[in-house]
Amino acid sequence: MELVGKLDDLGKPAWITVMVLGFVIFWPIGLAILAYLIWSGRMGCSRHSAGRWHNARSEWRSRRQRRKSESGNSAFDEYRQDTLRRLEDEQREFEDFLEQLRHAKDKAEFDDFMRDRKRRPNDKDARDIPDDPAAQPQT
């Protein structure tokens, strides 16, 4: 990639010229050069511009998150935090209540099953199977 090294030595104007010529000759060539310049970070302020761009994007996200979380009115922010905390507590309590209901329903179903099993007359198959596996006849 001797050509790339020479263009890097000449700087951004050389890369821009090559890109424009690529568009003039055949537009996909110009588009490919533009994609390469963006991907490699050669159009940034330094060779580490891709990292800087990533850092700038991270800063922008964190600023946007802060703006979402803070209104600038401390009384409202405090009220919102208290309300969110209360809603989270209510959600936890509701989930616990649902878990207790599920447990109670499962227990009731199991108790009904056991009651039905005790009330059911012994089947012929149930009488033929001994309770003690050691008492089974050997064949």
Side-chain angles (χ1 to χ4, degrees), residues 34-91:
L34 176 63
Y36 175 72
L37 292 175
I38 291 171
W39 174 78
S40 67
R42 283 182 165 73
M43 293 309 289
C45 296
S46 70
R47 291 184 81 48
H48 304 290
S49 64
R52 288 183 184 170
W53 182 73
H54 178 70
N55 291 341
R57 199 170 35 156
S58 297
E59 282 182 34
W60 178 76
R61 277 192 197 128
S62 65
R63 267 188 259 132
R64 188 177 65 179
Q65 283 293 79
R66 266 187 264 124
R67 264 188 257 126
K68 262 188 196 178
S69 64
E70 297 175 1
S71 68
N73 183 336
S74 61
F76 175 75
D77 290 339
E78 184 178 325
Y79 166 76
R80 183 178 59 206
Q81 288 298 330
D82 290 342
T83 303
L84 289 173
R85 200 173 306 114
R86 183 180 50 81
L87 288 172
E88 288 170 356
D89 291 342
E90 286 179 9
Q91 180 181 5

Side-chain angles (χ1 to χ4, degrees), residues 120-131:
R120 182 175 60 192
N122 289 339
D123 293 337
K124 179 183 177 221
D125 295 334
R127 280 183 270 147
D128 292 342
I129 299 174
D131 291 336

